[in-house]
Amino acid sequence: MNVFHRITLRTLGLNRVRTLVTIAGIVLSAAMFTGVTTSVSSLQDYLVRATIDRSGSWHGAVFGVEQDRLAELDTDPEVASYTSLQNIGYARLEGIPSDFKPYLFVAGMSDDFTEYMPVKVTRGRLPERTDEILLPEHLLYQGGLEYSLNDRLELELGSRTYAGEELTQFNGLIAESELEAETLTVRETRAYTVVGFYERPGFEDFSAPGYTALTLPDPASPGRYDLYIQLARPKGVHAFLSTKFPEYGSTKNSDLLRFSGASDETTFNATLYSLAAVLMGLVLFGSISLIYNAFSISVSERTRQYGLLASVGATRRQMMQSVLFEAAFLSVIGIPVGILAGLAGIGVTFRVSSNIIMTFLGNFADVPLQLAPSLPALVAAVVVSLAAVLISAYLPARRSFRISPIDAVRQNQDIQITPGVVRTSRLEDRLFGLEGMLARKNFKRNRRKYRATVLSLFLSVVLFISASSFTAYLSRSASGLMSNIEFDIEILLSSAADETDVRVPDIEALKSDLAAIPGITRAGYASWAYSEGIVAEELINPEFMTFTEQAGWGSSNQPGKVSLSTMVYFIEDESYADFLAEQGLDPAVYMNPDQPVALALDFVRFFYPGEERYYTFNLLAQKSLNMTVDRTKSVKGYYLDRTEPDGQGGLLYIYTNSSGEEITLTEAEVRETVDVRIGTVIDKKAFMVSPDISGLTLMFPYSAMPKIFDMERGQLTTSLFFNAVDHKAAFDRLHDALTEKGLPAYNLWDYAQAVETDRALITVVNIFSYGFITLLSLIAAANVFNTISTNIGLRRREFAMLKSIGMTRVGFRRMMNLECLLYGFKGLVYGIPVAIGVTYLIYRAVLTGYEIKFFIPWYSLVIATGSVFAVVFATMIYAMNKIRKDNLVDALRNENL
Amino acid sequence: MELLRVENLTKIYGKNGIQVRALDGVSFSVQKGEFIAIIGPSGSGKSTLLHILGGVDTPTGGKVFMNGCDVYAQDDEQLAIFRRRQVGLVYQFYNLIPVLNVVENITLPVLMDGREVDQSRLDELLTTLDLKGRENHLPNELSGGQQQRVSIGRALINAPAVVLADEPTGNLDSKNSHEIVELLKLSNKKYHQTLIVITHDENIALQADRIIALEDGRICRDEVIRR
């Protein structure tokens, strides 16, 4: 080993603590770099795998392709692989009510189909013969048909044509409209045995007209295929499909493309990568400053050493080499450790929080979240860290090579004082005494060195407080949004505008049945309708009237009356009675079957963008009053498109459906006007009520419904509500129960899940942001430690001199304390205002979605301040301890210090 | 044989306002094997002259020729080699590398060359310098006198053309001083080492062959006192 390396290594060993801190800095920066990139790549990998699990591993799909085209794909260099479904035929199913999905689409799977495409058998097994068939689950719960294993199906298979063209799964159902509908030409009848059921396939588009039933390919079949193609270069899928298969219907697996980064849709990747880039920028800044600092603060020591070596005859190249050797040595230790630490850190984080993360991402239970580091990113981590170290070692050294050896030995360049720069104010001198003056002069003298330290402190303070604000605001807004919902699960039984003609069964019996399911703690049902409430102007809160005038909102068509959007609730009698008891209200009044009286909720909240704030009011000026409620008829399958004057001073209501057909109804047919009496205004809502915060909410017992609204004019939206001990288990059981009863189970909503998801998101964000901040703060602390302790180490002679002329230990401590205060103070004085500014920006961002008052997370300010001073003081104490034992004269004389 | 020639050497410190002429047109030449003592009051430019001769400081004007070669016409690389092989500098404040032991400090110029150390020469030096038994000691484990002897060893190991010593005994007691001077004279006599020593000590100056006196950056006296 040459002598320069020997010197380097021994010097590193001599200043063990400083060396370790420098290595720690390298480790931290490599770790964070690795952590950020690995998180991003693992996330991406997870999303890709989850998408493949859900919809299959393909980039582009082409429908109804003739058999002879398949050979082309075999030889096409752009095609990495492909798999196919043979179109055996469509069969019309009896009993399916759906307007848009009336067929069974029988398809034959190619040999490798299940390798690429998601075929998840839930019951039974895959078909092994051409007369065996696998049916999709959604045929049962959505289509409403009943099939079991080993059922024998006789299917009349054929093809769909329209205007002479054969249609595929790509073409939605062309139903009767102005033009003719498609026709199914039956070709043959086949018998199949149901050998199994599989989960609704992700590759079947929602608009596809046939439920995909899978079997084996039939050699005698007409020979058209749906192809699912994997390209060698996914980005070229669009060009591939449009040039090679322009005459066929085709589609792309956009989710997969997006997540693999091959999509034209750049927003997802752009967002992800730019976020990662920002984080990386912060990491780089923090770690480079640490590493640079570590090298530059010892440059005065090294300057002397380099001068010495130069005077004995070392060439500049040799000395530069020794600098690079030092950099390389530290990197060889630090970078691998850092990368491993980064991977381990993310691995542990994933393990600990995988449930939470997966909940937030959509809970693909079959696909676990894995650590998937990206090799190019790791290589980049190595390169960047190495570059940082090399630059940090090189630049300060270069400065010291420029001066002549003797000047280096004498360290003439180290302290360059421009007169006037080091002045301190008289006032401060008086206040803080000699020690204070010395402290301040030291500060001004070592401008560059202390600036880096102050900058690290500043950055840490800002980041820490900002992260705390971010998570605090996020938590508050999330809990606020969800706090109103007190039920876990809702089953939407019928919607007034529902297309499907589902009959609402005896709801009381249904509720009792379902409430008996183990784990259900509370059950109830309610119906509600949206309507227009008309109230006399004098009964409205005048403040609200002023507001609407200012806001320029119109009032109703009728003079002297105000129109308010009004929700009318009919709550299951049993629940309602409990509610009345709680509120101390008389059931004789509010549950009077002959004369229904409503309870009203009149609290409203509007966000007024003009002033960027929320306004809240109580709408009604008195507690009990009479009003009218107008309900507009809903027509099944149609929506209210517009109104037109009928030429006689009234209005015609025109309804349209999805096919464009119109129905015209008169006002009398459409509008139902009901007189309603409000018994009292209260501020508590009953169980199951989700009040309308932009208008009135009226509550009645369920039994009052026929008295208020004419049931002939249409059903109200009705739901069952449940609370449960374990909402997931309850959800599954309710799902099964509904299926058994032959009721659609797709309107089962798990609200508790949504709340959990939101909370999970916040937890994930917390974990990552605090983890990140902690690491950055560690870097800052290390930076500060390094700077201050080495600074002190370099000033040993100075301290010895001060001691020798009589500065006491107390005086020393005072001087050091003042220096500490200066560091800490500067870091905080710059950092806290900036952090508050960032907090304000966060507040503004959250405000648009949720009403919230501006607040500053004081606890984080306290922690930041305390930590800053703790680090600075601890460092000082440590360094001073080391010097305290110096023998005065030796220190003064000894140039080896 | 003329070993060293100095022509019109000038060194100015400081800028614009405050300028100090440390050397003001110094010229002289040195024969091989001469033992020269440079004397003069503080601030007369003695150290500056020595440092420039040793290649560790750059002159503002004038030339230095060593063995016919213009020292300051060389590039940095060559100058470094020059410092390594052609001169041996002994400072008043020893200037040893703190992390290297005695042997390593002495053989530093050789190690920088990447060459093998001549063991017999090293041995001889160690004996002469009375450093036997302290080969592995670090500088902070040595006394002042021992440290100075190490730095002399470093100056001598490569048998340079000229040894330049700046107040080598300034920090030593009388016994050590005497020994050091004997050492230097020995190397001068035995190895015909050209020796230039700056000193305040009259006794030492009188042991030299020639005395050059500097004052205010100029030579005021150049006297051969011994043939």
Side-chain angles (χ1 to χ4, degrees), chain A residues 127-239:
Chain A
E128 285 156 15
R129 293 154 34 136
T130 54
D131 63 350
E132 294 181 340
I133 200 165
L134 188 70
L135 293 180
E137 288 277 6
H138 67 313
L139 178 63
L140 309 179
Y141 66 73
Q142 198 171 295
L145 297 183
E146 283 184 32
Y147 290 111
S148 323
L149 285 177
N150 299 318
D151 275 359
R152 206 177 130 78
L153 295 180
E154 291 230 348
L155 299 172
E156 296 185 346
L157 294 171
S159 31
R160 298 156 53 217
T161 46
Y162 179 79
E165 262 193 53
E166 195 169 328
L167 303 176
T168 64
Q169 282 285 74
F170 180 75
N171 310 105
L173 183 72
I174 303 178
E176 301 200 1
S177 59
E178 296 160 24
L179 316 159
E180 55 181 83
E182 62 179 54
T183 43
L184 180 70
T185 317
V186 176
R187 191 183 70 239
E188 55 173 327
T189 306
R190 282 213 199 174
Y192 288 98
T193 311
V194 177
V195 293
F197 296 88
Y198 73 111
E199 274 185 32
R200 189 198 178 288
F203 54 84
E204 181 186 291
D205 197 281
F206 285 100
S207 66
Y211 292 88
T212 310
L214 298 172
T215 179
L216 297 183
D218 174 24
S221 157
R224 278 178 167 262
Y225 293 80
D226 292 345
L227 303 172
Y228 295 89
I229 307 171
Q230 253 194 353
L231 293 176
R233 210 179 53 89
K235 241 194 153 87
V237 63
H238 183 82

Side-chain angles (χ1 to χ4, degrees), chain B:
Chain B
M1 192 188 84
E2 183 188 80
L3 180 66
L4 174 66
R5 191 170 81 241
V6 176
E7 283 180 6
N8 219 7
L9 204 56
T10 315
K11 175 74 182 179
I12 302 176
Y13 287 111
K15 295 175 255 217
N16 306 329
I18 312 150
Q19 285 194 348
V20 176
R21 282 191 165 251
L23 291 175
D24 195 1
V26 169
S27 303
F28 64 95
S29 70
V30 175
Q31 304 292 319
K32 182 162 164 49
E34 273 193 272
F35 176 359
I36 303 183
I38 301 187
I39 62 173
S42 308
S44 55
K46 313 190 295 291
S47 291
T48 310
L49 174 62
L50 210 73
H51 292 154
I52 293 179
L53 291 179
V56 296
D57 198 358
T58 39
T60 318
K63 292 189 201 284
V64 177
F65 292 91
M66 180 80 75
N67 275 327
C69 170
D70 185 346
V71 171
Y72 288 99
Q74 298 175 106
D75 65 26
D76 289 329
E77 185 98 356
Q78 293 164 324
L79 199 53
I81 310 280
F82 168 79
R83 289 195 284 266
R84 196 187 297 171
R85 300 189 195 149
Q86 304 277 52
V87 297
L89 262 175
V90 181
Y91 301 91
Q92 184 176 9
F93 292 103
Y94 333 122
N95 288 342
L96 301 176
I97 306 284
V99 294
L100 295 179
N101 65 26
V102 165
V103 164
E104 288 166 337
N105 263 302
I106 291 177
T107 55
L108 192 54
V110 180
L111 294 174
M112 281 187 189
D113 255 340
R115 289 181 305 158
E116 285 288 314
V117 176
D118 183 348
Q119 281 302 323
S120 56
R121 180 166 172 79
L122 175 63
D123 245 16
E124 198 187 329
L125 260 180
L126 285 171
T127 317
T128 319
L129 293 167
D130 192 23
L131 286 170
K132 277 273 178 196
R134 296 206 186 278
E135 287 88 337
N136 291 321
H137 286 204
L138 292 174
N140 61 9
E141 294 166 331
L142 302 172
S143 73
Q146 288 163 333
Q147 287 187 54
Q148 189 62 300
R149 275 181 265 153
V150 173
S151 70
I152 291 175
R154 179 178 75 194
L156 292 177
I157 188 77
N158 254 349
V162 61
V163 170
L164 307 163
D166 187 350
E167 304 262 15
T169 59
N171 268 355
L172 302 174
D173 60 35
S174 57
K175 172 164 171 282
N176 273 320
S177 289
H178 180 71
E179 282 176 5
I180 295 296
V181 171
E182 288 307 309
L183 254 177
L184 289 172
K185 273 168 50 182
L186 183 66
S187 83
N188 173 249
K189 289 285 169 278
K190 189 166 169 197
Y191 301 117
H192 295 289
Q193 199 101 58
T194 315
L195 190 58
I196 304 182
V197 178
I198 295 176
T199 183
H200 272 139
D201 192 336
E202 210 179 45
N203 292 329
I204 297 173
L206 289 171
Q207 295 185 48
D209 301 335
R210 175 175 158 197
I211 298 184
I212 297 180
L214 282 182
E215 195 172 323
D216 289 334
R218 288 192 210 96
I219 298 182
C220 60
R221 206 173 81 209
D222 187 352
E223 213 178 293
V224 173
I225 54 173
R226 196 168 308 180
R227 282 260 169 245

Side-chain angles (χ1 to χ4, degrees), chain A residues 391 393 425 542 665 674 709 814 856:
Chain A
I391 294 177
S425 79
L665 298 169
V674 182
F709 287 127
R814 190 131 59 102
I856 298 171

Side-chain angles (χ1 to χ4, degrees), chain A residues 272-295:
Chain A
L272 193 63
Y273 291 149
S274 53
L275 188 67
V278 167
L279 289 177
M280 226 102 76
L282 285 174
V283 170
L284 277 177
F285 182 81
S287 50
I288 288 183
S289 72
L290 170 65
I291 300 172
Y292 186 85
N293 229 22
F295 281 98

Side-chain angles (χ1 to χ4, degrees), chain A residues 510-715:
Chain A
L510 180 62
K511 174 209 138 183
S512 308
D513 273 353
L514 294 177
I517 290 177
I520 301 285
T521 55
R522 191 171 181 184
Y525 56 89
S527 298
W528 64 92
Y530 289 94
S531 64
E532 188 188 357
I534 312 281
V535 183
E537 205 173 307
E538 58 270 20
L539 297 172
I540 300 285
N541 181 349
E543 278 178 24
F544 178 68
M545 290 307 301
T546 328
F547 174 76
T548 53
E549 276 163 43
Q550 278 185 336
W553 296 351
S555 62
S556 87
N557 302 332
Q558 310 166 37
K561 298 221 187 248
V562 176
S563 158
L564 299 167
S565 85
T566 303
M567 263 185 99
V568 186
Y569 265 93
F570 298 95
I571 297 157
E572 175 201 16
D573 283 20
E574 200 182 314
S575 253
Y576 200 68
D578 289 339
F579 178 65
L580 292 175
E582 265 173 53
Q583 301 298 316
L585 296 167
D586 186 0
V589 175
Y590 294 100
M591 288 186 78
N592 186 332
D594 301 312
Q595 267 203 318
V597 174
L599 289 170
L601 297 164
D602 70 341
F603 177 75
V604 293
R605 181 164 65 216
F606 298 100
F607 181 72
Y608 188 42
E611 287 175 28
E612 296 280 323
R613 57 160 285 204
Y614 279 86
Y615 280 89
T616 60
F617 301 98
N618 284 78
L619 284 174
L620 301 175
Q622 57 190 68
K623 289 262 166 182
S624 77
L625 52 102
N626 288 327
M627 59 180 285
T628 57
V629 161
D630 277 12
R631 184 165 75 121
T632 306
K633 181 191 182 74
S634 55
V635 180
K636 281 235 186 313
Y638 289 79
Y639 60 90
L640 179 59
D641 188 15
R642 63 192 187 279
T643 58
E644 285 173 2
D646 65 358
Q648 289 152 8
L651 289 172
L652 288 175
Y653 289 74
I654 304 179
Y655 290 76
T656 319
N657 73 359
S658 51
S659 313
E661 301 170 335
E662 289 184 355
I663 293 181
T664 307
L665 298 169
T666 63
E667 197 162 345
E669 287 173 303
V670 165
R671 281 189 93 86
E672 182 185 353
T673 303
V674 182
D675 288 322
V676 159
R677 175 160 181 78
I678 295 178
T680 186
V681 173
I682 61 173
D683 52 21
K684 286 264 178 311
K685 61 182 182 66
F687 176 59
M688 299 182 282
V689 170
S690 296
D692 179 0
I693 56 161
S694 66
L696 275 178
T697 304
L698 302 176
M699 297 184 282
F700 287 102
Y702 203 80
S703 48
M705 193 156 67
K707 280 255 186 253
I708 301 290
F709 287 127
D710 179 1
M711 302 314 292
E712 292 296 308
R713 282 175 173 268
Q715 296 246 11

